[in-house]
Coordinates of all heavy atoms in Angstrom, one line a residue:
T1447 N 91.6 81.8 37.9 CA 93.0 81.4 37.7 C 93.9 82.6 37.4 O 95.1 82.4 37.2 CB 93.1 80.4 36.5 OG1 92.6 81.0 35.4 CG2 92.3 79.2 36.9
T1448 N 93.4 83.8 37.4 CA 94.2 85.0 37.1 C 94.9 85.6 38.3 O 94.5 85.3 39.5 CB 93.3 86.1 36.5 OG1 92.4 86.6 37.5 CG2 92.6 85.6 35.2
Q1449 N 96.0 86.3 38.1 CA 96.7 86.9 39.2 C 95.9 87.9 39.9 O 96.0 88.1 41.1 CB 98.0 87.5 38.6 CG 99.1 86.6 38.2 CD 100.3 87.2 37.6 OE1 100.3 88.5 37.5 NE2 101.3 86.5 37.2
W1450 N 95.1 88.7 39.1 CA 94.3 89.7 39.7 C 93.3 89.1 40.7 O 93.1 89.7 41.8 CB 93.5 90.4 38.6 CG 92.6 91.5 39.1 CD1 92.9 92.8 39.4 CD2 91.2 91.4 39.3 NE1 91.7 93.4 39.9 CE2 90.7 92.6 39.8 CE3 90.3 90.3 39.2 CZ2 89.4 92.8 40.2 CZ3 88.9 90.5 39.5 CH2 88.5 91.7 40.0
F1451 N 92.7 88.0 40.4 CA 91.7 87.4 41.3 C 92.4 87.0 42.6 O 91.9 87.2 43.7 CB 91.1 86.2 40.6 CG 90.0 85.5 41.4 CD1 88.7 85.9 41.4 CD2 90.4 84.4 42.2 CE1 87.8 85.3 42.2 CE2 89.4 83.7 42.9 CZ 88.1 84.2 42.9
N1452 N 93.6 86.4 42.4 CA 94.3 85.9 43.6 C 94.9 87.0 44.4 O 95.0 86.9 45.6 CB 95.4 84.9 43.2 CG 94.9 83.7 42.5 OD1 93.8 83.2 42.9 ND2 95.6 83.1 41.6
S1453 N 95.2 88.1 43.8 CA 95.8 89.3 44.5 C 94.8 90.1 45.3 O 95.0 90.6 46.3 CB 96.6 90.2 43.6 OG 95.8 90.8 42.7
T1454 N 93.5 90.1 44.7 CA 92.5 90.9 45.4 C 92.0 90.2 46.6 O 91.6 90.8 47.6 CB 91.3 91.3 44.5 OG1 90.8 90.1 44.0 CG2 91.8 92.2 43.3
G1455 N 91.9 88.9 46.5 CA 91.4 88.1 47.7 C 90.0 88.3 48.1 O 89.6 87.9 49.2
N1456 N 89.2 89.0 47.3 CA 87.8 89.3 47.7 C 86.8 88.3 46.9 O 85.6 88.6 47.0 CB 87.4 90.7 47.4 CG 87.6 91.1 46.0 OD1 87.9 90.3 45.1 ND2 87.3 92.4 45.7
N1457 N 87.3 87.3 46.3 CA 86.5 86.3 45.7 C 85.4 86.9 44.7 O 84.3 86.6 44.7 CB 85.8 85.4 46.7 CG 85.3 84.1 46.2 OD1 85.9 83.6 45.3 ND2 84.3 83.6 46.7
S1458 N 85.9 87.8 43.9 CA 85.0 88.5 42.9 C 85.7 88.7 41.6 O 86.9 88.6 41.5 CB 84.5 89.8 43.5 OG 85.6 90.7 43.6
V1459 N 84.9 89.0 40.6 CA 85.4 89.2 39.2 C 85.2 90.7 39.0 O 84.6 91.4 39.7 CB 84.6 88.4 38.2 CG1 84.9 86.9 38.4 CG2 83.1 88.7 38.2
P1460 N 85.8 91.3 37.9 CA 85.7 92.7 37.6 C 84.2 93.1 37.5 O 83.3 92.3 37.1 CB 86.4 92.9 36.3 CG 87.4 91.8 36.3 CD 86.7 90.6 37.0
Q1461 N 83.9 94.4 37.7 CA 82.6 94.9 37.6 C 82.0 94.8 36.2 O 80.8 94.8 36.0 CB 82.5 96.4 38.1 CG 82.8 96.6 39.5 CD 81.6 96.1 40.4 OE1 80.5 96.3 40.0 NE2 81.9 95.5 41.5
S1462 N 82.9 94.8 35.2 CA 82.5 94.7 33.8 C 81.8 93.3 33.5 O 81.2 93.2 32.5 CB 83.7 94.9 32.9 OG 84.7 93.9 33.1
C1463 N 81.9 92.4 34.4 CA 81.3 91.1 34.3 C 79.8 91.1 34.6 O 79.0 90.2 34.3 CB 81.9 90.0 35.1 SG 83.5 89.4 34.4
C1464 N 79.4 92.2 35.4 CA 78.0 92.3 35.9 C 77.0 92.5 34.7 O 77.3 93.2 33.8 CB 77.9 93.4 36.9 SG 78.8 93.1 38.4
Q1465 N 75.9 91.9 34.8 CA 74.8 92.1 33.8 C 74.3 93.6 34.0 O 74.3 94.1 35.1 CB 73.7 91.2 34.1 CG 74.0 89.7 33.8 CD 72.8 88.8 34.0 OE1 71.6 89.3 34.1 NE2 73.0 87.5 34.0
Q1466 N 73.9 94.2 32.9 CA 73.5 95.5 32.9 C 72.2 95.7 33.8 O 72.0 96.8 34.4 CB 73.2 96.1 31.5 CG 74.5 96.2 30.7 CD 74.2 96.7 29.3 OE1 73.1 96.6 28.8 NE2 75.3 97.1 28.6
E1467 N 71.4 94.7 33.8 CA 70.1 94.8 34.6 C 70.4 94.7 36.1 O 69.6 95.1 36.9 CB 69.2 93.6 34.2 CG 68.8 93.6 32.7 CD 69.8 92.9 31.9 OE1 70.4 91.9 32.3 OE2 70.0 93.3 30.7
A1468 N 71.5 94.1 36.5 CA 71.8 93.9 37.9 C 72.3 95.2 38.5 O 73.4 95.7 38.2 CB 72.9 92.8 38.1
K1469 N 71.5 95.8 39.3 CA 71.7 97.1 39.9 C 72.8 97.1 41.0 O 73.6 98.0 41.1 CB 70.4 97.7 40.4 CG 69.4 97.8 39.3 CD 68.9 99.2 39.1 CE 67.8 99.3 38.2 NZ 68.1 99.1 36.8
N1470 N 72.8 96.1 41.8 CA 73.7 96.1 43.0 C 74.7 95.0 42.9 O 75.2 94.4 43.8 CB 72.9 95.8 44.3 CG 71.9 97.0 44.6 OD1 72.2 98.1 44.3 ND2 70.7 96.6 45.1

């Protein structure tokens, strides 16, 4: 629902949301 999500259009969240164990 954020402007950033809608403006990027790549259907993703910031990298800071990634788990530390998830390498890729």
